[in-house]
Amino acid sequence: MNIINKINTELKQSKEELEKAYLESIETLRYTVEAKDKYTRGHSDRVSEYSVLIGKYMNLPETDLKTLKIGGLFHDIGKIGVPDSILLKQSKLTDDEYDEIKNHPSIGKHIISNATIFKDIIPIVYHHHEKFDGTGYPSKLAGEAIPLHARIAAIADTFDAMTSRRSYRNALPLEVVRAEIEKYSGTQFDPEIAKIFLNILDNHYDEILEIQNKYVA
């Protein structure tokens, strides 16, 4: 029995070491993206924590919260494959350039698809730009056909984009951001998740501020 326990312990340690090595490798790629684009510095961290916060108020289990955390951190990893001339462009993108940007979920999926430990976050990386009404990308999924974790990350991602300062505009006022989320509930966003997030904004905004202060835009 002691031998079996020892083998199981060693296997567990090996798995944890392998997972740590994969995480460190992808983390290096994430920092490479952030080095290219100043906007992404802190963005993925905030999206990760906003996603977990939403998940907590949805009473999701710890396994889901872990998936949301890691998926949020790596949701934009595919931007490493977007040319700097497009990623860093300060003026309006052309249609062709926007199409290049829209490739980043597919690039991200390709980057992590060979690592078994990342299979649970692929839906977030690949589908966080889908819209509830089916007009998003890359697969034009609609409603609950969009993976739950991706629907959560979509709101977190959009909220951070609107509340972060960009090269072409300042961060939007909270009342404008709230109105936008409410307006696009049921079209861009899952209405139930949007309702939960609006409740967080209205009644638990201190938790939002804590995240924003932790990762200053």
Side-chain angles (χ1 to χ4, degrees), residues 83-144:
D84 288 358
S85 59
I86 296 174
L87 190 63
L88 305 179
K89 188 175 180 180
Q90 297 190 14
S91 56
K92 184 177 179 180
L93 297 176
T94 66
D95 289 343
D96 287 342
E97 289 169 338
Y98 184 55
D99 285 340
E100 285 278 350
I101 289 284
K102 288 166 67 175
N103 284 331
H104 79 269
S106 297
I107 297 170
K109 178 184 177 183
H110 178 73
I111 288 172
I112 66 173
S113 61
N114 289 326
T116 304
I117 65 166
F118 290 129
K119 63 182 177 63
D120 292 336
I121 72 166
I122 287 176
I124 294 176
V125 172
Y126 192 52
H127 293 298
H128 66 279
H129 282 293
E130 305 287 358
K131 295 183 180 180
F132 201 72
D133 63 2
T135 63
Y137 64 89
S139 301
K140 295 189 179 299
L141 299 182
E144 294 186 2

Side-chain angles (χ1 to χ4, degrees), residues 11-208:
L11 286 174
K12 182 180 179 181
Q13 289 175 342
S14 296
K15 182 180 179 181
E16 290 174 349
E17 289 172 0
L18 182 61
E19 181 175 354
K20 183 174 182 288
Y22 273 125
L23 285 171
E24 288 175 348
S25 298
I26 300 298
E27 192 80 345
T28 299
L29 287 177
R30 183 169 78 96
Y31 288 142
T32 302
V33 176
E34 293 183 358
K36 291 174 61 174
D37 181 9
K38 184 171 68 173
Y39 160 69
T40 64
R41 296 174 193 169
H43 168 67
S44 295
D45 297 283
R46 291 189 298 273
V47 170
S48 173
E49 296 216 17
Y50 293 147
S51 297
V52 171
L53 183 61
I54 295 169
K56 286 180 178 178
Y57 278 95
M58 292 175 67
N59 296 314
L60 297 182
E62 283 297 323
T63 52
D64 288 274
L65 299 183
K66 181 180 178 181
T67 298
L68 288 169
K69 179 179 180 179
I70 299 174
L73 287 174
F74 299 139
H75 76 285
D76 272 345
I77 192 67
K79 285 186 177 179
I80 197 171
V82 177
D84 288 358
S85 59
I86 296 174
L87 190 63
L88 305 179
K89 188 175 180 180
Q90 297 190 14
S91 56
K92 184 177 179 180
L93 297 176
T94 66
D95 289 343
D96 287 342
E97 289 169 338
Y98 184 55
D99 285 340
E100 285 278 350
I101 289 284
K102 288 166 67 175
N103 284 331
H104 79 269
S106 297
I107 297 170
K109 178 184 177 183
H110 178 73
I111 288 172
I112 66 173
S113 61
N114 289 326
T116 304
I117 65 166
F118 290 129
K119 63 182 177 63
D120 292 336
I121 72 166
I122 287 176
I124 294 176
V125 172
Y126 192 52
H127 293 298
H128 66 279
H129 282 293
E130 305 287 358
K131 295 183 180 180
F132 201 72
D133 63 2
T135 63
Y137 64 89
S139 301
K140 295 189 179 299
L141 299 182
E144 294 186 2
I146 305 169
L148 175 62
H149 296 148
R151 280 179 270 148
I152 293 171
I155 290 184
D157 187 33
T158 303
F159 175 76
D160 191 68
M162 289 191 289
T163 55
S164 299
R165 187 177 184 279
R166 306 298 295 271
S167 58
Y168 50 87
R169 65 156 172 80
N170 290 322
L172 299 177
L174 181 60
E175 60 270 19
V176 173
V177 173
R178 192 197 184 287
E180 287 292 295
I181 293 174
E182 192 168 32
K183 177 181 178 181
Y184 291 104
S185 173
T187 53
Q188 183 173 351
F189 308 119
D190 180 314
E192 292 303 316
I193 300 175
K195 182 179 179 181
I196 289 169
F197 189 63
L198 290 172
N199 175 62
I200 294 172
L201 291 181
D202 292 340
N203 300 301
H204 306 280
Y205 192 64
D206 58 315
E207 296 183 65
I208 296 287

